[in-house]
Amino acid sequence: MVDQTPGTNPPVDFRTDPSRYKHWKLSIDGAVATLAMDVREDGGLRPGYELKLNSYDLGVDIELYDAVQRLRFEHPEVGAVIVTSGKERVFCAGANIRMLGQSSHGFKVNFCKFTNETRNGMEEASAESGQTYLTMVNGPCAGGGYELALATDWIVMADDGNTSVSLPEVPLLAVLPGTGGLTRLIDKRHVRHDRADFFSTTEEGVKGKRAVEWGLVDEVVPRTKLEAAAKARAAERAARTDRPRDGRGISLPPLERTIEGDTLRYTHVTCAIDRARGLAEITVAGPATAPPADAAGVHAAGAAFWPLALARELDDLILHLRTNEEEIGLWVVKTTGDADRVEAYDRVLADHGSDWLVREVRLFLRRVFKRLDVSSRSIFAIIEPGSCFAGTLLELALATDRSYMLDGTLEGRDDPAPALRLTTMNFGAYPMVNGLTRLATRFLGEPARVDDLKRRLGEDLDASAAAEAGLVTFTPDDIDWDDEIRVAVEERTAFSPDALTGMEASLRFGGPETLESKIFARLSAWQNWIFQRPNAVGPKGALQLYGTGQRSDFDRRRV
Amino acid sequence: MVDQTPGTNPPVDFRTDPSRYKHWKLSIDGAVATLAMDVREDGGLRPGYELKLNSYDLGVDIELYDAVQRLRFEHPEVGAVIVTSGKERVFCAGANIRMLGQSSHGFKVNFCKFTNETRNGMEEASAESGQTYLTMVNGPCAGGGYELALATDWIVMADDGNTSVSLPEVPLLAVLPGTGGLTRLIDKRHVRHDRADFFSTTEEGVKGKRAVEWGLVDEVVPRTKLEAAAKARAAERAARTDRPRDGRGISLPPLERTIEGDTLRYTHVTCAIDRARGLAEITVAGPATAPPADAAGVHAAGAAFWPLALARELDDLILHLRTNEEEIGLWVVKTTGDADRVEAYDRVLADHGSDWLVREVRLFLRRVFKRLDVSSRSIFAIIEPGSCFAGTLLELALATDRSYMLDGTLEGRDDPAPALRLTTMNFGAYPMVNGLTRLATRFLGEPARVDDLKRRLGEDLDASAAAEAGLVTFTPDDIDWDDEIRVAVEERTAFSPDALTGMEASLRFGGPETLESKIFARLSAWQNWIFQRPNAVGPKGALQLYGTGQRSDFDRRRV
């Protein structure tokens, strides 16, 4: 048994590009792109399993994520994306069972989270980016394969004897369709719950007209007409996009980073891991230069445009820490830089928000902040002299579990007292998975406070003003600063990581629920539970015995 | 170590009355009742632990539930209820840790569910029954003790050196405040999430003015003025009630039931357990006589009023099955009786809904149906000749995971083909925990279908009409009936119970979320997960080591 736990394997690198894809084929025909899944059986991320029947592991998902990102930035001309299979006789069999069976609990949970995030990103592209995803089901589409289809906005399926959609996790594996499947059946496609119940307990799935009648797919057509039907639907959607048909994309060059000992360095982001204390100190630098004057300037800057570079770097860092540094349970976020310059960049993002590229940059930042929100790590912000928590960077502090802001200056240092600054970007640009801004979530019971804050745009708020405005948790002065933070860090890293994960997931997302918040908060929690249960993962559990011909002897007690 | 698992202990009986209370003192002074928690240390439900510091176990909670029920039915004159402690130096230390430490996973989860339901019922009383709950915190109020306070509508706390509120589960026990605590902090009291984060990781809790400023309690007063303050607040609320000051309550006599072998019998409800097949067949009988003509008749009938008797019997049965029959994973619901008569009863419930007692009966039925919804059992409805799924009883079928309705008659039997009947009670009387009716939840994506159904009140819908209306899942005819049900039952009871629990919890509650649904679906799922984690329940887990002086050595990997 190969342990998927990082530490026993080389670290996972989330950086890739189409020239290195093993499992996906991206082709573009005018305004319609096709993403064909064609998994290489021997191309698993780890040894110990074969990716049969177009099943996937984290490596397959990393390529999908990269393709989805590139389609948004590199291909403004694409208004619709058809997801399909490159195999003759199967669409996708879902997540690879042997890979799951040999993975640690943490690896499985983290893998599902990343998969969910990518699928939510596809839905965001459909809803907000004018790049609509559709699925062409050209063979059996099971489990995670159907969950991938559910994340698209239109599902067309071949009406033949071989092709069906199914969620066989419960009957075959004793786990859940936990990467969004159950939630999307009910809350996205509004499949009637009793039909969803039957469907989710039926290995062989549903095909043909019943699949349409029950709302599991949108249309079925004869196999011979499948491709034409999918292309026609895609063309309809592409015709409605607001993306520029003749726009030129920007390229996303390889992300540069260095790892020296326990320090990771990107251009704007640095991360220093302190293993003895169990924490990672993440420092984000504001822009080094003034922003471009207009949207054309943003296009010219491309991937070097500070907000985009920042998003890419933070995104990679979060994924790296989550997957490769499981024992680092506390992330301490700091910033440096010049608030005026961040405010100037925020003005560009706000003023040119209708430009397709500027919009993509904002949406990417939104996804990165969401990724931070759903990370199962404690997150503290340290707001000290020299920091730059302004506008877009202030979102980082608002995303933390708590923040410490120095009241005044530090003895023996010249830096002025720290200040926070609000910009328009704090009031709607980056909603959380609950659909609310971080400020609205913060003041759930007092929405008027958010309105009050709108009148303080651009003001420098020192510690006492920030505390009064409710923007920071604690504001120790010079005398208490070091001790208070030291004690908070020591206590935090001594608590049970599991209890913290459950607590943080329960406290971070107040207020309304969305498809996304239901997936992360409800479905994931149930999946995590089941991934611990002997009936699934014990030596005689269904996930372990799958494919051996042996049957599980379940503990029949209901919980 | 005493195993709390039923089977190794005598079954738990949920029936009690004030003459048998060991742990609570109920006193009534005009319109204000006081429920004082005064737990008998040696009065635990099971051997192996002492209920020190006013900590509670399931037995304490059963008495609280009984008291809350009786206050509603037996005391119309009570408009406000003060929850407090009968001890000198402590309010409540929460759920008993030793009891939790020696309980099976299933027992812990089920105990938390029942506790949550009782607390939700207190909130329902405050919101809809004109009987508002308040808390007088007269000593340290920790963990489940504070969660109990959070379920009331006003918390007044003594401002002294000894009294604080706290949620020490995470720092002390490596579990969550999972009986509503975290959810109520954020979504009911709107405590800012960073303050909630600090509060939930601080053993010693928060007291005095900070507790008010952070929204953890509503007011603090000097110890000497505590009782007067609580009584004044209670009197204010009692003055606003619409309950009749001089009304006469009805009494709730001991519920009669017999258990013979594997059959439980109440007056209107019978349950036959088939251990070989792993199922319980629950048969609910419609009313034997015509309803009272008016509200006065309902009062005269008292606990014998069919809908109330039905609610009490079903409630007891569900609690019994959940706690004492863990291995019976499938509940098959049937009905018998006369649809006209059920419709007549429903008319009384609808027409006299403003009468306090009729309202209480409806609200009780609503709570019972909700208890069914959140039960971790698969539930099927069998709709056959002789059945009576009309109005209030139709809710039972709508609450199931799926339903089978015979299309036509059975060969060799005289009973006519079965029919369903809608009454006004299906359109708003019994909302689920998501705040929607079962019909609205069923047709989430097609709300117009619910409006269409309103035009079919009182109609007898045969299998094909019911299927077309979307009210049933499958409608086999005579030829397929037995086989189709047999196969469905055999398959269902062969699946992993855990996977079914997670699946059903994910499919049953589409649409909006409420405090209640967040507690059951999100917080409970996280708590279930943590209750499986070695860091909490392993031999070196915090829950096991609590009180031994030993420290847990946590697996530091984040999940």
Side-chain angles (χ1 to χ4, degrees):
Chain A
M1 172 164 163
V2 176
D3 189 354
Q4 296 286 315
T5 311
T8 58
N9 284 298
V12 177
D13 193 335
F14 288 80
R15 297 169 303 171
T16 188
D17 62 73
S19 73
R20 294 192 284 160
Y21 290 177
K22 296 177 189 169
H23 308 296
W24 290 89
K25 295 195 167 66
L26 173 59
S27 57
I28 294 175
D29 179 9
V32 176
T34 299
L35 252 176
M37 188 175 192
D38 195 1
V39 175
R40 239 178 65 189
E41 285 194 11
D42 63 352
L45 191 65
R46 302 273 188 245
Y49 53 86
E50 288 184 331
L51 295 174
K52 292 188 175 167
L53 293 171
N54 244 12
S55 62
Y56 60 85
D57 69 353
L58 179 58
V60 177
D61 253 19
I62 287 173
E63 292 183 9
L64 173 62
Y65 175 58
D66 185 74
V68 169
Q69 287 284 79
R70 287 180 194 280
L71 277 164
R72 296 178 75 160
F73 284 98
E74 301 188 345
H75 297 284
E77 79 280 12
V78 169
V81 184
I82 298 172
V83 177
T84 190
S85 162
K87 307 278 188 209
E88 265 300 302
R89 298 182 165 278
V90 64
F91 178 84
C92 169
N96 188 273
I97 310 306
R98 287 189 176 277
M99 176 276 295
L100 287 176
Q102 72 189 34
S103 296
S104 71
H105 180 63
F107 188 89
K108 278 199 285 289
V109 168
N110 201 46
F111 164 64
C112 291
K113 183 175 284 179
F114 177 68
T115 304
N116 275 329
E117 289 173 314
T118 302
R119 291 170 187 180
N120 291 338
M122 289 164 59
E123 284 178 332
E124 190 206 67
S126 295
E128 309 211 27
S129 188
Q131 201 167 64
T132 304
Y133 279 78
L134 305 87
T135 308
M136 178 171 86
V137 182
N138 54 348
C141 172
Y146 179 50
E147 293 182 287
L148 174 64
L150 284 170
T152 67
D153 268 32
W154 189 265
I155 306 174
V156 52
M157 180 165 75
D159 193 5
D160 60 27
N162 181 42
T163 301
S164 65
V165 292
S166 65
L167 291 177
E169 283 87 343
V170 171
L172 278 187
L173 305 169
V175 299
L176 296 186
T179 45
L182 296 177
T183 309
R184 288 201 172 88
L185 277 185
I186 297 294
D187 279 300
K188 180 179 183 180
R189 298 192 65 92
H190 297 134
V191 175
R192 238 173 55 201
H193 75 86
D194 56 339
R195 289 169 164 174
D197 177 272
F198 178 81
F199 174 65
S200 307
T201 55
T202 306
E203 280 176 42
E204 61 272 26
V206 171
K207 59 189 166 188
K209 288 195 171 43
R210 180 182 255 192
V212 177
E213 190 195 329
W214 285 20
L216 301 168
V217 306
D218 294 288
E219 63 180 323
V220 289
V221 295
R223 182 72 184 224
T224 52
K225 297 184 176 160
L226 183 63
E227 200 168 319
K231 288 199 166 162
R233 296 296 183 182
E236 284 168 24
R237 275 154 186 77
R240 292 202 297 265
T241 187
D242 62 352
R243 293 171 76 87
R245 185 63 51 94
D246 50 3
R248 273 185 51 198
I250 62 159
S251 70
L252 298 175
L255 197 60
E256 290 187 28
R257 78 174 187 209
T258 60
I259 302 185
E260 284 172 29
D262 285 329
T263 304
L264 278 83
R265 274 179 222 285
Y266 303 82
T267 307
H268 307 285
V269 178
T270 306
C271 173
I273 292 175
D274 184 338
R275 297 193 190 278
R277 295 164 76 206
L279 65 83
E281 194 175 285
I282 299 170
T283 305
V284 178
T289 55
D294 52 23
V298 174
H299 286 252
F305 181 52
W306 173 76
L308 175 54
L310 174 68
R312 293 185 74 200
E313 294 176 7
L314 261 179
D315 196 49
D316 186 70
L317 176 63
I318 295 169
L319 292 171
H320 170 79
L321 289 176
R322 273 195 203 165
T323 307
N324 301 316
E325 296 289 355
E326 284 183 307
E327 296 203 0
I328 304 303
L330 173 63
W331 295 347
V332 174
V333 178
K334 300 183 171 188
T335 52
T336 60
D338 176 63
D340 290 339
R341 220 172 261 158
V342 173
E343 197 178 353
Y345 270 89
D346 276 5
R347 215 170 294 125
V348 172
L349 291 174
D351 291 350
H352 304 284
S354 61
D355 175 84
W356 75 267
L357 176 59
V358 174
R359 178 173 69 187
E360 287 303 338
V361 172
R362 175 181 66 80
L363 291 172
F364 190 6
L365 279 165
R366 178 170 94 166
R367 295 195 297 282
V368 173
F369 294 139
K370 282 182 181 176
R371 215 194 271 289
L372 193 61
D373 293 330
V374 302
S375 290
S376 66
R377 296 294 188 279
S378 298
I379 315 176
F380 288 179
I382 302 292
I383 305 167
E384 55 193 352
S387 71
C388 179
F389 285 98
T392 290
L393 292 185
L394 176 59
E395 289 294 311
L396 291 170
L398 297 175
T400 62
D401 296 304
R402 61 171 91 153
S403 55
Y404 292 85
M405 182 173 187
L406 179 73
D407 188 0
T409 55
L410 287 174
E411 205 185 296
R413 295 223 225 142
D414 288 339
D415 290 315
L420 303 184
R421 195 184 295 182
L422 294 156
T423 73
T424 51
M425 297 304 279
N426 300 119
F427 293 88
Y430 309 121
M432 300 170 59
V433 293
N434 62 2
L436 302 182
T437 63
R438 283 174 192 78
L439 284 175
T441 302
R442 194 170 185 85
F443 301 114
L444 262 187
E446 304 169 280
R449 294 190 72 150
V450 180
D451 296 326
D452 291 345
L453 288 172
K454 277 186 194 153
R455 288 189 280 275
R456 306 188 72 172
L457 289 176
E459 246 181 75
D460 276 325
L461 304 170
D462 65 12
S464 83
E468 195 167 339
L471 294 172
V472 291
T473 320
F474 297 111
T475 54
D477 63 14
D478 182 32
I479 296 166
D480 296 325
W481 179 249
D482 284 341
D483 270 356
E484 193 163 333
I485 292 174
R486 184 183 51 74
V487 168
V489 164
E490 281 174 10
E491 282 185 356
R492 192 67 163 207
T493 52
F495 296 146
S496 160
D498 310 317
L500 289 174
T501 292
M503 182 189 85
E504 289 152 5
S506 298
L507 298 179
R508 286 181 187 167
F509 311 101
E513 298 271 349
T514 66
L515 199 61
E516 264 183 283
S517 70
K518 282 189 173 192
I519 290 170
F520 285 118
R522 168 185 284 204
L523 185 60
S524 298
W526 283 111
Q527 178 79 313
N528 286 5
W529 176 67
I530 287 164
F531 274 159
Q532 284 281 295
R533 299 286 292 160
N535 284 338
V537 298
K540 295 273 175 185
L543 208 52
Q544 300 304 328
L545 293 187
Y546 182 74
T548 64
Q550 295 179 63
R551 278 189 64 170
S552 297
D553 184 20
F554 293 131
D555 178 346
R556 300 240 61 90
R557 286 178 296 170
R558 276 287 193 139
V559 176
Chain B
M1 175 165 160
V2 176
D3 189 355
Q4 297 284 316
T5 312
T8 58
N9 284 298
V12 177
D13 193 335
F14 287 81
R15 298 170 303 171
T16 190
D17 62 72
S19 74
R20 293 193 283 159
Y21 290 177
K22 293 178 192 172
H23 307 296
W24 291 89
K25 295 195 166 66
L26 175 59
S27 57
I28 294 173
D29 179 9
V32 175
T34 300
L35 253 176
M37 189 175 194
D38 194 1
V39 176
R40 238 178 66 189
E41 284 195 11
D42 64 351
L45 191 66
R46 301 275 187 245
Y49 53 86
E50 290 185 329
L51 296 173
K52 292 189 175 167
L53 295 171
N54 244 14
S55 62
Y56 61 85
D57 70 355
L58 179 58
V60 177
D61 252 19
I62 286 173
E63 292 183 8
L64 173 62
Y65 175 57
D66 185 76
V68 169
Q69 287 284 78
R70 287 181 193 280
L71 278 164
R72 296 178 76 158
F73 284 98
E74 300 187 346
H75 297 284
E77 78 281 11
V78 169
V81 184
I82 298 170
V83 177
T84 190
S85 162
K87 306 280 187 210
E88 265 300 302
R89 297 180 166 280
V90 64
F91 177 85
C92 169
N96 188 272
I97 309 307
R98 286 187 178 280
M99 176 278 294
L100 287 176
Q102 72 188 35
S103 296
S104 71
H105 181 62
F107 188 90
K108 278 199 284 287
V109 168
N110 202 45
F111 163 66
C112 290
K113 185 176 281 180
F114 177 69
T115 304
N116 274 330
E117 288 173 316
T118 302
R119 291 172 188 180
N120 291 338
M122 291 164 58
E123 284 178 333
E124 190 205 68
S126 296
E128 307 211 27
S129 188
Q131 202 167 63
T132 304
Y133 279 77
L134 306 88
T135 307
M136 178 170 84
V137 182
N138 55 349
C141 173
Y146 179 51
E147 292 181 287
L148 175 62
L150 285 170
T152 67
D153 269 31
W154 189 265
I155 306 174
V156 51
M157 179 165 75
D159 193 5
D160 60 27
N162 182 42
T163 302
S164 66
V165 291
S166 65
L167 291 177
E169 284 87 345
V170 171
L172 278 187
L173 306 169
V175 299
L176 296 186
T179 46
L182 295 178
T183 310
R184 287 200 173 89
L185 277 185
I186 296 295
D187 278 301
K188 179 179 184 180
R189 299 193 64 93
H190 298 132
V191 176
R192 237 172 57 201
H193 74 87
D194 56 340
R195 289 170 164 172
D197 177 272
F198 178 81
F199 174 64
S200 306
T201 54
T202 306
E203 281 178 42
E204 63 270 26
V206 171
K207 58 190 166 187
K209 290 196 169 45
R210 180 181 254 191
V212 177
E213 189 195 330
W214 285 20
L216 302 168
V217 306
D218 295 289
E219 62 179 323
V220 289
V221 295
R223 182 71 184 227
T224 51
K225 296 183 177 161
L226 182 64
E227 201 169 319
K231 289 199 165 160
R233 295 295 182 182
E236 283 168 24
R237 275 153 186 77
R240 293 201 295 265
T241 186
D242 62 354
R243 294 171 76 88
R245 186 63 51 94
D246 51 3
R248 274 186 50 198
I250 62 160
S251 70
L252 298 176
L255 197 61
E256 289 186 28
R257 78 173 188 211
T258 60
I259 302 185
E260 283 171 30
D262 284 330
T263 304
L264 278 81
R265 273 179 221 284
Y266 303 83
T267 306
H268 307 285
V269 177
T270 307
C271 174
I273 293 174
D274 184 336
R275 295 192 191 279
R277 294 165 76 210
L279 65 82
E281 194 175 284
I282 300 169
T283 306
V284 177
T289 56
D294 52 23
V298 174
H299 286 253
F305 180 54
W306 173 76
L308 175 55
L310 174 69
R312 293 185 73 202
E313 294 175 7
L314 262 179
D315 197 50
D316 186 70
L317 177 64
I318 295 169
L319 292 173
H320 170 79
L321 289 175
R322 270 196 206 165
T323 309
N324 301 316
E325 297 289 355
E326 283 183 308
E327 297 203 1
I328 305 303
L330 173 63
W331 296 348
V332 174
V333 178
K334 299 182 172 188
T335 53
T336 61
D338 178 65
D340 291 338
R341 217 171 265 157
V342 173
E343 197 179 353
Y345 269 89
D346 275 5
R347 216 170 293 123
V348 173
L349 291 175
D351 292 350
H352 304 285
S354 61
D355 175 84
W356 76 267
L357 177 59
V358 175
R359 178 174 69 188
E360 286 304 336
V361 172
R362 175 181 65 80
L363 291 172
F364 191 7
L365 280 165
R366 179 170 93 166
R367 295 194 298 280
V368 172
F369 294 138
K370 281 183 183 177
R371 216 194 272 288
L372 193 61
D373 293 330
V374 303
S375 290
S376 65
R377 297 295 189 280
S378 298
I379 315 177
F380 288 0
I382 302 293
I383 305 166
E384 56 193 353
S387 70
C388 180
F389 285 99
T392 291
L393 292 185
L394 177 59
E395 289 293 311
L396 290 170
L398 297 175
T400 62
D401 296 303
R402 59 172 90 155
S403 55
Y404 292 85
M405 183 173 186
L406 180 73
D407 187 0
T409 57
L410 287 174
E411 204 185 298
R413 296 226 223 140
D414 289 339
D415 290 315
L420 303 184
R421 195 183 294 182
L422 293 157
T423 73
T424 52
M425 297 304 279
N426 301 117
F427 293 87
Y430 309 121
M432 300 171 59
V433 294
N434 62 2
L436 302 181
T437 64
R438 281 174 193 77
L439 285 176
T441 303
R442 194 171 184 84
F443 301 113
L444 262 187
E446 303 170 281
R449 294 191 74 150
V450 180
D451 296 326
D452 290 345
L453 288 171
K454 278 186 192 152
R455 288 188 281 275
R456 307 188 73 173
L457 289 176
E459 244 182 76
D460 276 325
L461 305 170
D462 65 12
S464 84
E468 195 168 337
L471 295 171
V472 292
T473 320
F474 298 112
T475 54
D477 63 15
D478 184 31
I479 296 167
D480 297 325
W481 180 249
D482 285 341
D483 270 355
E484 190 162 335
I485 292 174
R486 183 183 51 74
V487 169
V489 164
E490 282 174 9
E491 283 185 355
R492 192 69 164 206
T493 53
F495 295 146
S496 160
D498 310 317
L500 288 173
T501 292
M503 183 191 83
E504 290 152 4
S506 298
L507 296 180
R508 286 180 187 168
F509 312 101
E513 299 270 349
T514 66
L515 199 62
E516 264 183 283
S517 70
K518 282 191 173 191
I519 290 171
F520 285 118
R522 168 186 281 204
L523 186 60
S524 298
W526 283 111
Q527 178 79 311
N528 287 5
W529 176 67
I530 286 165
F531 274 160
Q532 285 280 294
R533 298 288 290 160
N535 284 339
V537 300
K540 294 273 174 186
L543 208 52
Q544 300 304 328
L545 292 188
Y546 181 74
T548 63
Q550 294 179 66
R551 280 188 65 168
S552 298
D553 184 20
F554 294 129
D555 178 345
R556 300 240 61 92
R557 286 178 295 170
R558 277 285 193 140
V559 175

